[in-house]
Amino acid sequence: MRPEHPIVLITGASSGFGEAMARTLAAEGCHLALGARRVERVQALADELRKAHGVKVFAGAVDTRHTASVDTFVTEAVKDLGALHVIVANAGLASGTFKMWETPDEDLEAMVRTNIEGVVKTVRAALPHVRKAGWGHVFFIGSVAGHQAYEGGSVYCATKFGVKAMAQSLRLEVNGEQIRVTSVDPGMAETEFSNVRLKDDDKAAAVYQGVKPLSAQDVAECVRWTLMLPDHVNIDQMIVKCVDQAAAHKVHRHA
Ligand code: NDP
Ligand code: 8X3
């Protein structure tokens, strides 16, 4: 049965989608477990949301590439909050725009370890608590890059095709339990994503020039809406793009 105040764990809550989801779900009365490597950011956000909404917020350091870090984060969150109902496996990144044969190991490993291994480690650690609660929802944050590959994106796209596969597998694996599984798959959204990917703030700004991209809040609203639907309704997959982006490659830029 749906709890009055679902307890939601969000990885990558120090920025972008994760931060926006935390704000949006706190306003709905959800209690939160917020994690990222930049722990000072999630702690500041937690303080703000506790004061603004009177919800319980656990904030912890987590590096989703490392099993011990994820396990400790989840254990401490459950100890603090008492349970877990919703997992948002959001932490992720693109690193570089290299052609496949140029991709440095550093970027390859960052994307595979965060976007694939980190998601498995997060769900693996947190799902037993959701199953124990008997009501829950797992959100994967995929991408349009998981539906359509593009040049310079071979590894990133492969990881997001992988996220789509994980969502499909998990939905089959928990069938028969009251656990919904959704992949929210956005197109271009202005967050720190391009700054991280391109390692150059001017180049990152140019990505969105002449376009009105999605905001982090737009994506947070997709998660909020999906979560608030009646318990028997599962949105399997939600592809959401700004109106200027017709496909991964097809972006209209206004003069
Ligand atoms: P941001 O760069 O703004 O946020 C990424 C978040 O992930 C940060 O909070 C970062 O925190 C966290 N993170 C990265 N690596 C790790 C790690 N090893 N352990 C823990 N946390 C980590 O980007 P977005 O909000 O845009 O990205 C969120 C998700 O959305 C990603 O999975 C991305 O692939 C996906 N996405 C983004 C799109 C976009 O256009 N923006 C479109 C489609 C999907 P910290 O550095 O503090 O650890
Ligand atoms: C991020 C969207 O198109 O930059 O996942 O790969 S895109």
Side-chain angles (χ1 to χ4, degrees), residues 11 42 80 98 182 187 196 219:
T11 62
V42 283
D80 192 58
F98 297 100
T182 300
V196 171
V219 176

Side-chain angles (χ1 to χ4, degrees), residues 1-3 6 84-86 130 133-137 178 180 227 231:
M1 190 163 150
R2 181 185 292 250
L84 268 187
H85 303 106
V86 181
V130 176
W135 180 93
H137 203 139
Q178 181 56 55
R180 297 181 290 176
L227 181 63
D231 287 352

